Amino acid sequence: MRKLISLGLAAAMVASLTACGSNSNSGTTTTAAGAAESTTAAAGNDSEAPASGEGFKVGVIGPLTGGAAAYGNAVKNGADLAVKEINAAGGVNGVMLELNAQDDEHDAQKSVNAYNTLKDWGAQMIVGSTTSGPCIAVAAETANDNMFQITPSGSAVECVSPDNVFRVCFSDPDQGMAAAKYIGENKLATTVAIIYDSSTEYSSGIREAFMKEAGNQGIEIVADEAFTADNATDFSVQLDKAKEANAELVFLPIYYQEASIILKQASDKEFAPIFFGVDGMDGILSVENFDTSLAEGVMLLTPFSTTEESSKKFTSDYVAAYGEDPNQFAADSYDAVYALKAAIEKSGVTPDMSASDICDAMKTAMTEISIDGLTGAGMTWNAAGEPDKEPKAAKIVNGAYEMQ
């Protein structure tokens, strides 16, 4: 059963899972954040890997070019940094990790092509895909091949429908419900407008869950306005309807590129409600030619901030290696690799095993491990592939995320 979560004001309900075929009956806990001194070499497609055939082969899939490249490159870099740390500390059960990242350009068919390229390379497990549509397409392929897959950020429900796929981020329904609860429980607004992308599973799924929970929180939806990828440059109609309805808050379950346009156009209209987003909003401060002062006061659900004490070493290492601040996608990916490490250790798999045999063992191990990661302490997973961790919210203050 997929769990329902309450945002930070109550502990999430934890399912107790007992699995067979593991090395022991007790869970395994791994600390991801700051687990070892990392190297800071420039990012590459392979992370200081051993000679081919000697280590576990981990494939990464995401948009490394195109409009969603900020997500894919963050996922690539987060995985790269984790692999460098793990290898520098002696590997996993003494075995090194090899990393190969492939570009899918945020396109489902290209994501499948990237997966096939990784299969030809000899991949034994997959970190990705990064975005929901491509992730759903790849999950169907990995399920057919019985290859283990963990997506850092594929949040659509269908991403983890196969039993071989797990995720680090929360699902779209969990994000939508949590956002409504946070707004209601913190009394941020009672009249809310929604602007969402009806052409994506991500945005539509979050919006649907938000609307279901809004009534329970005393929230009135005064405007519910859609756009599609084909008309994502002019939001005048949507903003006018929100303004005319006296919306105190505008909920934006969308990606950061469109959000940056909305903030600019809202400013031009002298419309200044609270803007509240979810994880797709992360990256808005890095949009080229965007006046970041327009994002001041924007709130979003995000599991990670560079300003948290637990994130400082990771942030420092990441900046040294890749020349920019990490976002939550980098943190999700970093945690995904440490989850792989914990599951490999727990299951006792070895690189000479087939990808299918590795997958069978790791599916069981994932329900037994716990990691203290950048995106949550004591993270566990259920057999449906869903993480159990406490959600968090951030507010943009003086050009930086400030955890609430």
Side-chain angles (χ1 to χ4, degrees):
M1 177 181 294
R2 299 185 189 280
K3 67 184 179 67
L4 301 180
I5 55 174
S6 173
L7 185 71
L9 300 178
M13 191 163 57
V14 180
S16 178
L17 299 169
T18 303
C20 58
S22 61
N23 291 338
S24 74
N25 292 327
S26 60
T28 299
T29 301
T30 297
T31 299
E37 290 299 319
S38 70
T39 62
T40 56
N45 205 43
D46 297 299
S47 298
E48 298 182 351
S52 180
E54 296 180 2
F56 288 106
K57 291 191 169 186
V58 181
V60 176
I61 304 174
L64 306 182
T65 59
Y71 301 138
N73 283 294
V75 163
K76 172 191 169 185
N77 292 343
D80 181 68
L81 184 57
V83 165
K84 286 175 178 174
E85 285 186 0
I86 291 166
N87 286 347
V92 187
N93 291 337
V95 178
M96 300 293 106
L97 300 178
E98 301 180 55
L99 197 69
N100 186 333
Q102 293 294 319
D103 185 11
D104 69 10
E105 300 177 44
H106 186 39
D107 177 271
Q109 184 54 56
K110 290 178 180 178
S111 204
V112 171
N113 295 342
Y115 171 64
N116 288 329
T117 297
L118 290 169
K119 273 205 310 179
D120 291 342
W121 172 67
Q124 296 165 300
M125 53 199 74
I126 298 295
V127 174
S129 294
T130 298
T131 50
S132 287
C135 187
I136 293 169
V138 169
E141 299 299 317
T142 61
N144 287 336
D145 295 331
N146 197 37
M147 184 181 294
F148 186 84
Q149 179 180 350
I150 183 167
T151 173
S153 46
S155 55
V157 170
E158 296 82 2
C159 288
V160 297
S161 291
D163 68 357
N164 64 302
V165 187
F166 293 75
R167 70 169 130 230
V168 175
C169 67
F170 289 120
S171 70
D172 293 341
D174 282 349
Q175 288 200 74
M177 186 191 64
K181 284 189 172 184
Y182 189 89
I183 291 166
E185 292 173 355
N186 288 278
K187 303 186 186 308
L188 296 182
T190 56
T191 57
V192 172
I194 303 172
I195 301 177
Y196 73 103
D197 183 352
S198 60
S199 63
T200 69
E201 300 95 340
Y202 170 79
S203 189
S204 297
I206 296 173
R207 170 250 183 196
E208 182 179 354
F210 182 91
M211 292 189 72
K212 286 180 179 178
E213 180 61 27
N216 298 330
Q217 298 298 325
I219 295 171
E220 180 185 2
I221 306 299
V222 296
D224 179 32
E225 300 301 316
F227 66 91
T228 68
D230 293 330
N231 59 7
T233 57
D234 185 354
F235 299 94
S236 296
V237 172
Q238 294 92 335
L239 288 168
D240 285 343
K241 289 186 177 180
K243 186 176 182 179
E244 290 165 5
N246 296 316
E248 300 168 307
L249 181 147
V250 176
F251 181 53
L252 301 175
I254 59 178
Y255 293 127
Y256 65 88
Q257 299 97 328
E258 293 85 359
S260 68
I261 299 170
I262 287 172
L263 292 178
K264 173 62 169 66
Q265 293 178 359
S267 176
D268 292 342
K269 292 176 178 292
E270 298 183 343
F271 179 40
I274 298 170
F275 287 99
F276 195 105
V278 286
D279 61 3
M281 183 80 79
D282 198 359
I284 194 166
L285 296 178
S286 64
V287 175
E288 188 175 358
N289 299 321
F290 174 63
D291 179 0
T292 57
S293 68
L294 298 175
E296 191 72 7
V298 167
M299 300 188 70
L300 67 154
L301 293 184
T302 178
F304 171 78
S305 169
T306 59
T307 61
E308 290 183 283
E309 187 62 35
S310 59
S311 303
K312 288 184 177 178
K313 182 181 183 303
F314 168 75
T315 299
S316 175
D317 290 346
Y318 191 98
V319 171
Y322 313 112
E324 61 185 14
D325 283 340
N327 59 23
Q328 72 170 58
F329 290 83
D332 282 335
S333 184
Y334 180 90
D335 284 352
V337 172
Y338 272 96
L340 287 181
K341 176 180 183 291
I344 291 169
E345 291 172 339
K346 184 67 178 176
S347 63
V349 298
T350 55
D352 59 343
M353 295 170 61
S354 70
S356 182
D357 287 343
I358 289 172
C359 183
D360 285 338
M362 289 183 64
K363 285 188 290 190
T364 297
M366 280 295 294
T367 66
E368 299 174 316
I369 64 170
S370 173
I371 70 169
D372 291 328
L374 295 167
T375 66
M379 283 190 289
T380 60
W381 283 265
N382 63 24
E386 300 287 5
D388 183 1
K389 57 184 177 179
E390 184 180 353
K392 309 178 213 177
K395 185 176 184 179
I396 296 177
V397 179
N398 296 323
Y401 294 138
E402 186 175 283
M403 301 307 292
Q404 300 299 291

